[in-house]
Amino acid sequence: MIRVLILTLLLALAAPASAQNLGDIGKVFKFGKKVAEASREFTPEEEAELGKGMAAGLMGAAPLVRDEALQRYVNRVGRWLVRHTEQPDLDWRFGVVSNPGFNAFAMPGGTILITEGLYRSMRDESELAGVLAHEIAHVLQKHQVKAIKKAAGKELVGMLADEVAANKGTGKAYLANKLFGTGMEVMARGLDKRDEYEADQMGVVIAARAGYNPYGLVGVLQTLDALSPKDGRVALLFSTHPSAGSRIERLSAGLGPQFDEYADRSKTPQRMVARN
């Protein structure tokens, strides 16, 4: 399934960068004259290009569902949610990929993909909003970017040092290739559990701000909790995330009276309008 396909992509990264169809990703990473820049923050443009490259790799294994109405609908919900965040002007993109598994992926810069299997399991729009808001929170908190930089670590510093010492530009494509590969590894391995719990809490707040029932994400987690770990549809999700039960417990403890006013109302329709 998706895990196998991602790992297949990782093996392909051993080929020269020119064969990876990385587009202009390498052009985005600008190197300074000091090794100290290895610890600098990526610019929004760099994050967006890295994320788009990761998304392209994922969609090479699991293409977008050929349903324009569905894709417009998910983008409409996602864009409504990001309007209620501190960074509504990122290059946000949402999509549903053709895979029966239950999973969702957030890429640096604002690209978010969910599997068709997970989408079809949802009972109403508040559940879709809950999942998208969780992934939006990952982007806002830069969880993937931090994980990629941590994983690249000393090798990233070494490559920049070599680049400066040789005063050459040929390392740019290799560095872009390395960061892309590290991003795919992070996606296959999963984030730290603390990042997932933080995204749950923050996602609930985003959904509530947008007028959705804040318990939408809890509903999705309850669906996942009822499935067997041996169910192939959730194998990757269960291996890269805390258990659905532990996430429900933490959210239940965090959902206080301040969210009660949202429980029975919504500013936007709660029914799924593009399920077919």
Side-chain angles (χ1 to χ4, degrees):
M1 305 282 265
I2 283 185
R3 187 183 187 90
V4 175
L5 295 170
I6 289 176
L7 293 176
T8 300
L9 286 169
L10 293 177
L11 291 175
L13 291 171
S18 60
Q20 295 307 310
N21 191 27
L22 294 178
D24 293 328
I25 298 176
K27 297 178 181 179
V28 177
F29 295 94
K30 305 297 183 182
F31 305 110
K33 295 182 179 180
K34 297 181 180 180
V35 178
E37 285 202 38
S39 62
R40 71 170 174 81
E41 295 296 324
F42 292 159
T43 67
E45 293 76 19
E46 289 170 347
E47 289 184 15
E49 289 302 318
L50 176 58
K52 289 175 185 176
M54 291 169 58
L58 178 59
M59 288 188 290
L64 288 173
V65 174
R66 294 186 178 180
D67 185 334
E68 292 185 5
L70 169 62
Q71 302 296 351
R72 284 196 303 268
Y73 170 59
V74 172
N75 269 273
R76 186 164 63 248
V77 174
R79 290 178 185 278
W80 172 253
L81 288 165
V82 298
R83 286 179 61 183
H84 297 83
T85 71
E86 292 73 22
Q87 291 186 277
D89 296 328
L90 288 181
D91 187 16
W92 294 100
R93 302 180 183 208
F94 302 85
V96 181
V97 294
S98 181
N99 188 277
F102 288 15
N103 219 327
F105 306 90
M107 269 64 75
T111 300
I112 291 171
L113 301 171
I114 66 173
T115 60
E116 185 177 14
L118 179 59
Y119 175 81
R120 300 296 177 190
S121 75
M122 296 174 183
R123 290 164 288 197
D124 60 34
E125 189 169 302
S126 70
E127 294 194 352
L128 172 63
V131 170
L132 294 181
H134 170 95
E135 300 303 328
I136 289 168
H138 278 314
V139 175
L140 295 176
Q141 296 301 105
K142 299 183 184 293
H143 288 154
Q144 284 81 4
V145 172
K146 293 173 183 176
I148 290 169
K149 291 184 71 174
K150 181 178 180 181
K154 294 180 180 179
E155 186 170 355
L156 176 62
V157 175
M159 285 187 293
L160 279 171
D162 291 341
E163 177 85 9
V164 173
N167 190 27
K168 61 183 181 180
T170 54
K172 292 181 180 180
Y174 177 72
L175 178 56
N177 192 28
K178 168 62 182 176
L179 291 174
F180 170 75
T182 302
M184 298 301 285
E185 290 172 358
V186 167
M187 190 155 50
R189 183 178 65 244
L191 296 169
D192 187 273
K193 288 184 178 181
R194 289 174 296 180
D195 291 342
E196 295 297 346
Y197 292 137
E198 182 178 30
D200 282 346
Q201 296 284 349
M202 187 173 180
V204 165
V205 173
I206 293 171
R209 284 179 183 171
Y212 285 103
N213 186 328
Y215 296 91
L217 178 59
V218 175
V220 175
L221 293 174
Q222 288 173 335
T223 297
L224 296 174
D225 195 43
L227 297 174
S228 168
K230 297 181 180 179
D231 190 323
R233 295 174 299 172
V234 294
L236 176 57
L237 182 68
F238 282 5
S239 69
T240 58
H241 289 69
S243 70
S246 69
R247 293 171 67 184
I248 291 172
E249 289 179 6
R250 289 195 175 226
L251 276 174
S252 297
L255 288 174
Q258 65 267 35
F259 291 105
D260 289 347
E261 62 180 294
Y262 295 98
D264 297 315
R265 68 180 179 85
S266 173
K267 295 177 183 176
T268 53
Q270 292 294 293
R271 65 190 180 88
M272 303 289 273
V273 298
R275 294 189 67 89
N276 296 321

